[in-house]
């Protein structure tokens, strides 16, 4: 299998790109893939703290680009999975610190060593999006089942296509099955129909995400939580497996079922 | 950083989040990547332990923010033997 660069982006901010990048990276690594997750949000680094690797940073991607260290020195190994690495970004620089061309070169270097390169991109209309899009083989657009997020996704799907990086696929994040049933929330089918874009995974609203982020321990690392299971399905699909799409119940709903919440 | 993790064990996750944020914000503001402190710690241990027996596992290097000023706080616990003279004789009290 050729190395795959997966860029995870969105139209609207705050829809779960970083959460999806961290967990998809962990899930792929647990499938015995060699994985590096790149924080593409220069100046607003977050992937490090979501993954719980913040205290290990010495160098970052901008240091690599500007020749202050070798690529290998900037990679942080996550010992909780067989072959999982983080390439953190600079916290005190702006989006122009890495050009699209330089990002392509960086990924070409990483392709020699890794099966999957996952890029946590800024939202699609922000500066820095084009830098993260440039090296992509696959583009995943994170969408919440909510009108403004779906609308903004449409713009980004268009941008991705205009850069000949399409077709993009959707990760529908924070879906609550019970609310879809009560017709209070857009369903996966609704979103697919409106955007005419394929879905690679549906991640339920899961209250474990907050606690796992508090601890810097992504749910996909060892969890059987609803979101963790969805991320494992996404990882298997990215690896080429044919996994039927299924929508997990949200945690709070499961808890209600068993009378614990 | 394992000591830090041990400390967090058993605590609730909001508390953990707060501690991690405090730590990361100090480093963001000082523009010193956290991992650099671990490297400095290794350097200090190497230098000091050439002259004095120290408790390597308890050495701590932290950034302390006091008003406008950032300072490096280094704490190096000495082992009991260091109370002896270099020539091996016990210190007279
Ligand atoms: N499936 C989920 N269930 C519950 N909470 C979630 C889920 N996905 C994401 N969140 C929460 O949503 C918030 C935003 O997530 P995240 O930081 O991953 O978004 P983002 O798209 O990377 O944001 P930005 O655009 O600022 O980079 C976080 O508090 C995260 O914990
Ligand atoms: Mg983010």
């Amino acid at each position: 299998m050729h190395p795959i660069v997966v860029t995870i982006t969105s139209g609207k901010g705050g829809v779960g790109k970083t959460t999806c990048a961290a967990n998809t990276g962990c899930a792929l690594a647990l499938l015995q893939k060699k994985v590096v997750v790149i924080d593409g949000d220069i100046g607003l680094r977050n992937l490090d703290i979501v993954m719980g690797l913040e205290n290990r940073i010495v160098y970052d991607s901008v240091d690599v680009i500007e020749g202050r260290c070798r690529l290998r020195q900037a990679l942080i190994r996550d010992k909780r999975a067989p072959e999982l690495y983080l390439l953190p970004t600079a916290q005190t620089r702006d989006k122009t610190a890495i050009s699209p061309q330089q990002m392509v070169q960086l990924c070409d270097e990483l392709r020699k060593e890794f099966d999957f390169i996952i890029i946590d991109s800024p939202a699609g209309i922000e500066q820095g999006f084009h830098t993260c899009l440039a090296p992509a083989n696959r583009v995943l657009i994170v969408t919440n089942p909510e009108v403004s997020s779906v609308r903004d996704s449409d713009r980004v799907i268009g941008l991705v296509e205009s850069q000949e990086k399409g077709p993009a696929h959707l990760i529908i994040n924070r879906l609550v099955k019970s609310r879809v049933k009560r017709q209070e929330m857009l369903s996966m089918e609704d979103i697919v129909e409106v955007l005419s874009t394929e879905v690679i995974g549906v991640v339920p609203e899961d209250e474990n995400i907050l606690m796992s982020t508090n601890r810097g321990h992504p749910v996909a690392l060892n969890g059987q939580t609803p979101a963790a299971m969805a991320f494992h399905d996404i990882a298997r699909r990215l690896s080429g497996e044919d996994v039927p799409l299924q929508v997990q119940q949200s945690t709070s709903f499961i808890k209600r079922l068993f009378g614990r919440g | 950083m394992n000591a830090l993790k041990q400390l967090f064990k058993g605590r609730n996750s909001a508390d953990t989040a707060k501690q991690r944020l405090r730590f990361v914000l100090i480093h963001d503001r000082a523009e010193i990547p956290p991992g650099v402190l671990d490297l400095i710690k290794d350097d200090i241990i190497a230098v000091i332990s050439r002259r004095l027996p120290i408790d390597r596992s308890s050495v701590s290097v932290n950034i302390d923010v006091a008003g406008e000023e950032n300072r490096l706080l280094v704490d190096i616990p000495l082992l009991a033997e260091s109370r002896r003279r270099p020539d091996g004789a016990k210190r007279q009290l």
Side-chain angles (χ1 to χ4, degrees):
Chain A
M1 196 165 131
H2 290 295
I4 302 177
V5 180
V6 183
T7 295
I8 298 182
T9 188
S10 69
K12 200 168 173 273
V15 294
K17 297 176 292 296
T18 302
T19 306
C20 289
N23 281 286
T24 305
C26 292
L28 281 165
L30 293 178
L31 287 177
Q32 310 298 319
K33 307 290 179 192
K34 264 196 104 171
V35 182
V36 57
V37 278
I38 301 181
D39 193 337
D41 210 346
I42 307 169
L44 286 172
R45 97 173 157 212
N46 265 329
L47 197 50
D48 57 331
I49 196 161
V50 169
M51 294 183 75
L53 299 172
E54 70 278 5
N55 47 29
R56 308 252 315 270
I57 297 178
V58 177
Y59 296 112
D60 57 54
S61 53
V62 178
D63 290 322
V64 177
I65 296 293
E66 294 179 352
R68 279 185 295 276
C69 71
R70 281 173 296 114
L71 180 52
R72 193 170 293 279
Q73 294 174 288
L75 291 174
I76 298 169
R77 164 113 200 266
D78 189 333
K79 295 165 192 135
R80 297 167 298 187
E83 294 276 5
L84 178 61
Y85 293 80
L86 167 70
L87 180 58
T89 189
Q91 177 68 342
T92 49
R93 300 291 297 272
D94 66 69
K95 310 288 179 194
T96 57
I98 300 181
S99 71
Q101 190 53 43
Q102 287 168 325
M103 194 61 141
V104 170
Q105 281 165 6
L106 195 66
C107 288
D108 282 344
E109 202 58 41
L110 290 167
R111 273 174 208 272
K112 294 177 195 160
E113 305 246 352
F114 291 95
D115 303 317
F116 281 94
I117 299 156
I118 310 284
I119 305 178
D120 177 21
S121 159
I125 37 168
E126 284 176 43
Q127 232 190 335
F129 162 71
H130 287 282
T131 301
C132 294
L133 187 63
N137 302 114
R138 296 202 62 166
V139 182
L140 306 185
I141 297 177
V142 183
T143 307
N144 293 157
E146 173 263 315
V147 287
S148 55
S149 170
V150 174
R151 178 200 204 171
D152 293 351
S153 296
D154 192 58
R155 276 215 46 206
V156 181
I157 291 167
L159 281 176
V160 171
E161 263 157 28
S162 71
Q163 301 286 311
E164 297 181 352
K165 291 289 183 182
H169 291 96
L170 296 173
I171 296 179
I172 299 175
N173 186 30
R174 311 195 72 160
L175 189 110
V176 183
K177 207 173 176 178
S178 58
R179 302 192 74 176
V180 173
K181 244 189 209 126
R182 292 202 297 274
Q183 302 194 319
E184 294 170 2
M185 185 180 266
L186 292 167
S187 68
M188 174 180 84
E189 292 78 10
D190 293 334
I191 296 169
V192 169
E193 190 187 319
V194 173
L195 295 176
S196 349
T197 300
E198 260 183 67
V199 173
I200 192 164
V202 181
V203 182
E205 174 76 25
D206 185 344
E207 58 189 25
N208 296 294
I209 297 268
L210 178 62
M211 293 177 281
S212 79
T213 308
N214 281 344
R215 297 204 159 95
H217 193 95
V219 287
L221 269 182
N222 51 11
Q224 282 295 310
T225 81
M229 293 191 280
F231 287 120
H232 285 286
D233 282 356
I234 291 173
R236 285 165 60 198
R237 286 189 201 103
L238 282 172
S239 316
E241 262 184 73
D242 192 11
V243 185
L245 266 177
Q246 50 177 324
V247 183
Q248 306 280 352
Q249 302 278 10
S250 292
T251 27
S252 47
F253 183 71
I254 290 177
K255 281 195 175 169
R256 233 177 291 137
L257 263 185
F258 293 101
R260 286 191 285 132
Chain B
M1 279 309 137
N2 259 334
L4 211 65
K5 285 216 182 92
Q6 286 292 298
L7 203 69
F8 291 152
K9 248 191 196 155
R11 283 210 213 171
N12 61 45
S13 79
D15 230 24
T16 309
K18 193 169 165 190
Q19 300 289 345
R20 294 177 64 222
L21 280 169
R22 277 219 181 98
F23 176 84
V24 91
L25 289 180
I26 287 172
H27 286 272
D28 283 356
R29 290 175 189 156
E31 300 188 19
I32 300 171
V36 169
L37 296 194
D38 283 337
L39 297 179
I40 291 173
K41 187 159 96 181
D42 292 343
D43 293 345
I44 289 174
I45 289 174
V47 169
I48 304 293
S49 61
R50 259 192 276 139
R51 307 281 178 203
L52 289 173
I54 59 174
D55 178 3
R56 290 159 181 260
S57 60
S58 303
V59 172
S60 74
V61 178
N62 289 300
I63 294 175
D64 180 61
V65 186
E68 295 282 279
E69 209 175 53
N70 293 335
R71 52 181 68 214
L72 207 56
L73 292 187
V74 181
D75 184 36
I76 311 170
L78 299 173
L79 288 178
E81 301 97 274
S82 64
R83 264 180 275 147
R84 289 191 205 127
R85 289 229 183 104
D87 59 13
K90 281 262 192 210
R91 193 165 72 172
Q92 301 286 317
L93 289 175

